[in-house]
Amino acid sequence: MAELLVDFITSLDGYASGEGWPGFWGLEGPEYLAWLGEQPEVTYLMGANTYRLMSGFAAGEVPSGQDEFRAEEEASVDQLTRASKVVFSSSLEGPLTWANSTLVSDDAVEAVRGMKENGPGILSTIGSLSLCRSLLEAGLVDRFRVGMFPVITGATGAERIYDGYPDVALEMIDHRTFDGRIQMVEYRPRVLEHPPLGAPA
């Protein structure tokens, strides 16, 4: 049975990106980049908006506010291009042009449920905030990992991650610090039907 990981990279105040900021907010360091390179092979899951953005980067479109990609950003996009990707969308039309991408127009929750039941390995989301929320609400997420970068983007932040989420109890299973500044926390999530009377069990 496959394992499903929701994987977020955020500012301290919970934004997935910031207008005019480079990838990783320009704050990645050698320890963090080395750790990224050591990660096991996964199948990435994403929605249409993330696909359009990331496939555009792969085709050479530079993020707004930048003249060119930094080497770290190019390496990240190249890694994504080589990886297997499943794109959930009713608006995109196949075949998809980004290498190793499969389009699924069926219900994403049921499709991922089937992928978990019928395949080995690791499924990992990338971006795709509404997809992540739907998978969490359906009880399909095994691990919830957040890399928090030391920046507050109150003026320029985009894509608030947790808006619209249910209440979720989080059991920490791993944590570490990279380059003396990037906090990585990993949890097992449990969606709550109502707030607990005491501390979450």
Side-chain angles (χ1 to χ4, degrees):
M1 184 170 180
E3 183 179 45
L4 175 57
L5 167 68
V6 163
D7 197 13
F8 285 137
I9 295 172
T10 81
S11 62
L12 183 61
D13 51 341
Y15 286 99
S17 63
E19 183 66 29
W21 290 82
F24 305 118
W25 291 272
L27 295 169
E28 74 287 346
E31 289 181 4
Y32 180 71
L33 293 173
W35 176 80
L36 286 179
E38 296 166 358
Q39 294 306 292
E41 185 174 306
V42 304
T43 296
Y44 287 103
L45 311 179
M46 68 186 75
N49 290 338
T50 298
Y51 173 82
R52 291 186 184 102
L53 179 69
M54 301 306 297
S55 63
F57 292 161
E61 297 176 14
V62 179
S64 175
Q66 292 181 235
D67 295 326
E68 60 184 12
F69 283 110
R70 296 176 300 129
E72 295 82 2
E73 294 170 317
E74 285 188 349
S76 180
V77 172
D78 288 345
Q79 186 267 333
L80 282 173
T81 297
R82 293 190 299 270
S84 295
K85 298 170 286 292
V86 178
V87 183
F88 299 98
S89 174
S90 58
S91 60
L92 293 173
E93 294 185 1
L96 298 177
T97 57
W98 194 14
N100 305 310
S101 298
T102 300
L103 177 63
V104 175
S105 56
D106 297 332
D107 179 75
V109 168
E110 291 310 311
V112 172
R113 194 186 309 277
M115 293 171 69
K116 285 193 65 176
E117 291 174 352
N118 299 319
I122 301 173
L123 308 172
S124 178
T125 61
I126 179 169
S128 310
L129 304 185
S130 60
L131 173 65
C132 294
R133 185 171 60 245
S134 296
L135 296 175
L136 185 69
E137 289 173 336
L140 296 176
V141 178
D142 300 293
R143 292 189 288 142
F144 190 92
R145 186 167 69 191
V146 182
M148 290 180 291
F149 282 68
V151 61
I152 293 173
T153 54
T156 57
E159 302 177 290
R160 283 177 57 87
I161 289 180
Y162 305 114
D163 287 356
Y165 262 58
D167 290 350
V168 183
L170 300 168
E171 175 194 353
M172 184 173 284
I173 55 176
D174 195 14
H175 64 90
R176 62 182 297 182
T177 301
F178 297 101
D179 303 296
R181 60 180 180 267
I182 302 165
Q183 294 291 321
M184 180 70 66
V185 287
E186 187 169 339
Y187 304 97
R188 294 198 194 284
R190 179 170 55 88
V191 176
L192 301 174
E193 295 183 5
H194 52 75
L197 297 177

